Amino acid sequence: MTKIRQAALLLFVAFLGACGGPPAPGDSGYPYNVEGAYSGTLGVDGQGFAVEASIITEGGGIVSGVFRVTQPVEIVGVIEGTLLGDQLDIMIDYRNNPMTGCDGTVGGVATVSEGGGVLTGSMMITDCTDQLSGDMRLTRGS
């Protein structure tokens, strides 16, 4: 192979490597990344709780952040999750619910709107030994 052909082949291989395809969860430009400050509601057995969250999507679709119930009581939790497509598999661990004195979890799958501005989904809440169902809706910047 001549030196010109070798150089052209190397240049072509380098070009192919630079064209990595569409962005993946956590990459800049991924349409369903969740980033920033969110607020909304967590409805549990007919009672509405005002909530806030600060969320970030990292490489590989790993989601983390802080979740806070602000009304009618204050509860702080840690968010962990995985983003795949427009689905966010989320788990929130919290400590010392003032209404029950127990630690607990909120978990489920939320659908993320294109642009990452709205998260909606059904959640299961475990508090003490009780299992409750709920619905969550969070909107960025509201």
Side-chain angles (χ1 to χ4, degrees):
M1 194 183 267
T2 68
K3 289 186 180 197
I4 294 175
R5 285 188 185 164
Q6 287 176 337
L9 181 60
L10 287 173
L11 189 59
F12 180 71
V13 170
F15 174 75
L16 287 178
C19 298
D27 291 348
S28 178
Y30 187 71
Y32 302 105
N33 282 339
V34 288
E35 297 256 350
Y38 291 77
S39 62
T41 58
L42 175 63
V44 182
D45 285 346
Q47 182 171 2
F49 293 85
V51 297
E52 298 174 347
S54 178
I55 309 172
I56 186 167
T57 304
E58 300 174 45
I62 303 300
V63 174
S64 61
V66 176
F67 184 87
R68 189 166 73 97
V69 175
T70 60
Q71 292 290 328
V73 297
E74 185 157 328
I75 303 171
V76 177
V78 176
I79 299 171
E80 293 182 351
T82 306
L83 180 64
L84 183 58
D86 67 349
Q87 300 295 294
L88 173 59
D89 187 355
I90 189 169
M91 180 64 70
I92 302 161
D93 289 313
Y94 63 85
R95 302 283 176 252
N96 194 24
N97 176 349
M99 297 172 74
T100 63
C102 294
D103 298 343
T105 60
V106 177
V109 177
T111 300
V112 180
S113 68
E114 189 163 348
V118 179
L119 289 72
T120 56
S122 297
M123 300 289 130
M124 287 298 293
I125 298 93
T126 302
D127 190 271
C128 296
T129 58
D130 295 331
Q131 293 231 335
L132 309 165
S133 60
D135 292 299
M136 184 173 68
R137 180 177 176 84
L138 298 174
T139 303
R140 184 173 45 219
S142 64

